[in-house]
């Protein structure tokens, strides 16, 4: 009798598991149940269809049902939701019948979280932005052709991608976010860089508040801070809840995600899970974490498919939160552990920030890369990174994500053999410079400080070592005195030795050199501003014009 594998869920992890199981075992019977009429579509592409970047809905349909049936010999059951699972009998039930299984892959994904908004259930002019059915509803509701003002609840990745594309489509956009900043997966500084970019492009932000009531006749959304937003349509994107109610006895995280090992096995015998319904190991902390990303759905589905077909060598060991998003003309990315608002007060790692060109200064269309690395103080092992800029961000964050997986140190970063040619990178890549800068901070005999921390401090002596023409063109940090770097040795008498001295330049390099000069002249309390005036001004902090 043939071994039977049942897979529940046809979006990402499920088809990946089915295809891998078939490649490993030609004889196994594979039945895949999907509650909707669609499988394997690009959920991450939906925001880009709102602006017309993706012009054809069919481009979002990655795998057609017939391909799964014919090429991979999968018994695909569309519009047939599983309504009950008996894990003792190893049986699933749908409205059409009962089916025994030898192995079960649970790939049911997650459902959008819907906030409690008064009158929402009485209104049809709203949608989430997660499924192809959501996109079809948005189109059917004439959002792209008829609606002028859109409110979006949630300033995460999907909410911001939807906001950008709706702006590009000519809509007025409001974002309502319960947190005090956008993109809670970022540190406060990098989130602020993105916040400023959204404001620059006309998106209206309502932070530290939430929607409480929908006024149907007036098209008004009331907020918890007493304000109101006028909108023709509402899009909700505040996260997902894992769909795991069919397995009430399995081990789960507090949010309901099924805890799995590297073989994608749940705590229930012969039941595997992958995708947004599953929780995997955080490879840095060794704790179980929730990483609802399409990349992990595919890797987890592939591993589950191999395991159920008897190939125990293929595993999905875990993740550590690598993410990237392009918004208008900039990109921001993160990987590993970063001091988000949720963990900033208990973040035991050191950091180093550099601002370096994506290409050499002599090459056309030069742009900056803002790059912060986070590392363990004792071992100097890299644990996280953030990057921001117009070009080259994906390359640098992927190098650092690889460094984290390999447990590389600051010294290792300096010795990487990275590709170099002027169109792609300076001779010393930003990743390598980041390794140099972090080591210099450790051994340099001076301290460093972030722009946000410096803004909160009582600055005893603040010295701007840029040239006067730079100050005239761009301004300066209030209360700073100007001593250009090349004049510093001859003007040391202007800087008291018994006070704390804060140094800044344009991006940090001249500040580092100034700190070394002061240290070598027996100054004991010297601190360099990481990222210099460039980072300070990019954050929107106060600037005094000459």
């Amino acid at each position: 009798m043939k071994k039977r594998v049942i897979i529940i869920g046809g979006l990402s992890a499920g088809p990946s598991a089915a295809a891998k199981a078939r490649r490993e075992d030609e004889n196994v019977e594979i039945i895949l149940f999907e509650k909707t009429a669609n499988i394997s579509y690009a959920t991450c592409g939906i925001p880009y269809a709102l602006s017309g970047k993706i012009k054809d809905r069919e481009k979002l349909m990655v795998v057609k049902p017939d391909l799964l049936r014919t090429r991979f010999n999968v018994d695909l059951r569309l519009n047939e939701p599983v309504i009950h699972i008996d894990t003792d009998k190893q049986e699933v039930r749908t409205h059409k019948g009962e089916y025994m299984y030898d192995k079960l892959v649970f790939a049911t994904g997650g459902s959008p979280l819907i906030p409690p908004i008064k009158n929402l259930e009485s209104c049809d002019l709203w949608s989430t932005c997660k499924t192809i059915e959501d996109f079809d509803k948005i189109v059917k509701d004439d959002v792209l052709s008829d609606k002028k003002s859109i409110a979006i609840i949630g300033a995460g990745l999907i909410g911001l991608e939807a906001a950008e594309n709706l702006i590009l489509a000519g809509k007025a956009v409001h974002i309502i976010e319960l947190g005090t900043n956008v993109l809670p997966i970022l540190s406060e500084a990098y989130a602020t860089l993105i916040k400023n970019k959204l404001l620059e492009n006309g998106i209206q932000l309502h932070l530290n508040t939430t929607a409480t009531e929908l006024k149907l006749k007036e098209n008004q959304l009331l907020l918890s801070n007493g304000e109101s937003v006028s909108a023709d349509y509402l899009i909700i994107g505040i996260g997902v809840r894992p769909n795991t109610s069919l397995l009430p006895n399995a081990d789960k995280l507090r949010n309901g995600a099924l805890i799995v090992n590297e073989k994608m096995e749940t705590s229930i015998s012969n039941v595997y899970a992958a995708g947004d319904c599953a929780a995997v190991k955080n490879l840095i902390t060794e704790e179980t974490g929730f990483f609802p990303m399409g990349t992990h759905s595919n890797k987890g589905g592939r591993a589950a498919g191999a395991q159920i077909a008897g190939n125990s060598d293929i595993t999905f060991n875990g993740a550590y939160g690598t993410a990237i998003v392009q918004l208008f003309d900039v990109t921001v990315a993160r990987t590993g552990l970063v001091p988000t608002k949720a963990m900033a007060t208990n973040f035991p790692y050191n950091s180093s920030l550099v601002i370096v060109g994506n290409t050499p200064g002599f090459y056309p269309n030069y742009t900056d890369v803002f790059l912060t690395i986070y590392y363990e103080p004792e071992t100097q092992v890299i644990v996280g990174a953030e990057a921001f800029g117009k070009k080259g961000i994906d390359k640098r964050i992927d190098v650092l994500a690889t460094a984290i997986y390999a447990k590389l140190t600051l010294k290792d970063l300096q010795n990487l053999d990275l590709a170099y040619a002027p169109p792609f990178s300076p001779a010393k890549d930003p990743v390598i410079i980041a390794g140099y800068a972090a080591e210099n901070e450790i051994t340099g005999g001076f301290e460093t400080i972030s722009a946000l921390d410096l803004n909160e401090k009582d600055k005893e002596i603040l010295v701007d070592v840029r040239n006067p023409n730079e100050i005239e063109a761009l301004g300066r940090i209030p209360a700073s005195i100007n001593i250009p770097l090349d004049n510093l040795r001859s003007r040391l008498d202007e800087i008291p030795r018994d006070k704390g001295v804060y140094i800044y330049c344009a991006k940090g390099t001249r500040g580092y050199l100034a700190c070394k000069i002061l240290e070598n002249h027996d100054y004991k309390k010297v601190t360099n501003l990481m990222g210099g005036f460039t980072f300070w001004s990019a954050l929107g902090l106060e600037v005094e014009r000459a």
Side-chain angles (χ1 to χ4, degrees), residues 196-256:
N196 293 343
K197 178 58 63 172
L198 299 175
L199 293 170
E200 177 187 317
N201 282 274
I203 293 175
Q204 299 180 64
L205 297 177
H206 307 266
L207 302 175
N208 204 24
T209 188
T210 188
T212 58
E213 182 177 353
L214 192 60
K215 291 283 190 181
L216 302 179
K217 294 181 179 179
E218 298 90 345
N219 284 354
Q220 291 280 321
L221 192 62
L222 304 186
L223 308 183
S224 59
N225 63 2
E227 297 178 0
S228 64
V229 171
S230 295
D232 303 318
Y233 202 82
L234 174 65
I235 292 177
I236 297 174
I238 60 172
V240 297
R241 177 182 291 108
N243 295 325
T244 59
S245 60
L246 289 172
L247 293 173
N249 298 320
D251 291 345
K252 302 176 184 179
L253 293 183
R254 290 180 62 183
N255 72 344

Side-chain angles (χ1 to χ4, degrees), residues 8 160 201 237 242 245 250 286 334 382 390 412 477 519 524:
I8 306 174
L160 296 195
N201 282 274
S245 60
E286 299 291 319
R334 55 96 72 208
I382 310 300
K390 293 186 176 182
D412 292 324
I477 299 175
E519 177 208 350
K524 302 302 182 184

Side-chain angles (χ1 to χ4, degrees), residues 346-376:
N346 188 31
F347 193 73
Y349 304 105
N350 289 354
S351 66
S352 179
L353 163 69
V354 297
I355 300 178
V356 187
N358 173 55
T359 54
F362 61 78
Y363 195 79
N365 302 316
Y366 172 98
T367 60
D368 281 325
V369 172
F370 294 42
L371 180 60
T372 301
I373 56 173
Y374 303 96
Y375 58 93
E376 205 283 322

Side-chain angles (χ1 to χ4, degrees), residues 374-376 378-383 404 407-410:
Y374 303 96
Y375 58 93
E376 205 283 322
E378 297 298 322
T379 65
Q380 297 179 20
V381 169
I382 310 300
V383 298
I404 291 170
K407 294 182 169 55
L408 299 189
T409 65
L410 298 178

Side-chain angles (χ1 to χ4, degrees), residues 129-147:
C129 194
K130 186 179 187 301
T131 68
I132 197 67
E133 291 81 14
D134 290 337
F135 176 69
D136 291 341
K137 183 181 189 303
I138 291 170
V139 172
K140 181 183 176 183
D141 290 341
D142 295 324
V143 174
L144 307 183
S145 59
D146 184 51
K147 304 297 186 287

Side-chain angles (χ1 to χ4, degrees), residues 50-52 143-150 162-173 201 232 328:
L50 299 178
S51 64
V143 174
L144 307 183
S145 59
D146 184 51
K147 304 297 186 287
K148 295 180 179 179
S149 179
I150 316 297
E164 177 208 19
N165 282 278
L166 288 167
I167 284 283
L168 295 177
K171 312 299 179 183
V173 176
N201 282 274
D232 303 318
F328 301 103

